[in-house]
Amino acid sequence: MTAELKSSLFTSVQSAASHAGLVLVSATQGSDFHGQPTAVFQLGLPGADAAGKTLRLELTDAFEFDKPDLLPSLTAHLAAEARRLRNPRPECYVTLAGLPIAFGKFQWPFHRSTSGADTYIVHGEMQLADGGTHNLHAKLAASVTLTFAEIVPAMEQPFAESFVYNAIRKTVDYGQLEFLKSGNRQPVPVTTRYYSRWQKRFLFTETTDAERLDYLLRKVYWLSGVLGESKPVWIADPRDAQYLNTTEQDLLRMASHEAGEGLVVLDGEFAAATPALLARAPEYQAKLEEALNFTKPQFNESMRSGHANM
């Protein structure tokens, strides 16, 4: 830890990490979008479970856990991250349409928009994680409205990462983000349409049992079978449950059913791909191509050729 990091912030993060089953690997000073100091923590699993994978947590240097719900919320966030770190590729997710993606290079914390808009912005990137056949990505600028920010306990990474990632996945589902080999940042609006004030929870996608089951199988196929050498991935992920508008228990229930069908091997809250699931490769590759094509701008070819009536 550098001398510039506040001892109270260091102590709070170290305590939350310990309760979440993580160890503090390092703590250094960073800087945010405007060059102001931040506190950067690298956290990992203890002992033999570490496997060289770490979690980066970046907070505003002056951040205080001065509200009663902040430290418990951080602990819950880190507990979920501890389970996610056991995935072969913890940074990887799947969209409902069947695109395997990897999040990275997020520049936490949020900064106020420099264009004059009343929004908070965080920059990051999303890679198409299909095993390397496409090498496509999207640079992102997720914007949170001031009204939406009032819902969030604090505009910091552990309290916002889940709904930002899910808003990005939802924007991909809408076909409003394009995967490119280069390009400018693409906007991801994060608005109150993703939150029910009446139910006091986030709502992204209404899904049926059949849709959630398809999602789970695609997740295990890509993240375990293709990217993870058939190692198990976390099924009861609250981030997925939020994205699909369901519960972790429901996801486990469906995974258990598919284990009985021989498509996955279930070990507690984790599932691994079987040869029977990997045999569905043509189906999942076709879904990927279809979903990827949906994100590409569509042009009226007759108009481009000058054949349309004007």
Side-chain angles (χ1 to χ4, degrees), residues 151 194-204 206 241-242 245-247:
I151 298 167
Y194 294 133
Y195 187 79
S196 169
R197 290 186 180 272
W198 176 63
Q199 299 182 56
K200 297 189 183 302
R201 65 189 184 97
F202 293 96
L203 299 171
F204 286 94
E206 290 289 345
Q242 182 189 83
N245 193 23
T246 187
T247 65

Side-chain angles (χ1 to χ4, degrees), residues 26 39 61 70 106 112 142 181 195 207 232 235-236 279 297 299-300:
S26 66
D61 184 64
L70 291 180
F106 274 76
R112 291 296 294 269
K181 292 188 176 180
Y195 187 79
T207 54
I235 289 299
F299 298 97
N300 187 319

Side-chain angles (χ1 to χ4, degrees), residues 264-281:
V264 303
V265 176
L266 197 62
D267 182 9
E269 295 186 347
F270 289 76
T274 66
L277 183 62
L278 294 178
R280 295 188 176 187

Side-chain angles (χ1 to χ4, degrees), residues 71-120:
L71 199 55
S73 293
L74 173 63
T75 303
H77 169 79
L78 294 181
E81 291 293 334
R83 290 180 175 84
R84 207 172 284 118
L85 271 178
R86 298 179 186 276
N87 286 348
R89 293 280 300 274
E91 79 281 13
C92 290
Y93 298 81
V94 173
T95 70
L96 193 58
L99 288 174
I101 57 175
F103 290 123
K105 299 183 180 181
F106 274 76
Q107 299 172 289
W108 301 100
F110 288 95
H111 61 271
R112 291 296 294 269
S113 171
T114 57
S115 66
D118 288 332
T119 55
Y120 292 94

Side-chain angles (χ1 to χ4, degrees), residues 13 28 35 139 156 246 286:
V13 171
T28 57
K139 295 180 179 179
E156 300 280 343
T246 187

Side-chain angles (χ1 to χ4, degrees), residues 3 37 93 200 216 229 251:
Y93 298 81
K200 297 189 183 302
L216 279 179
E229 299 177 336
L251 294 176

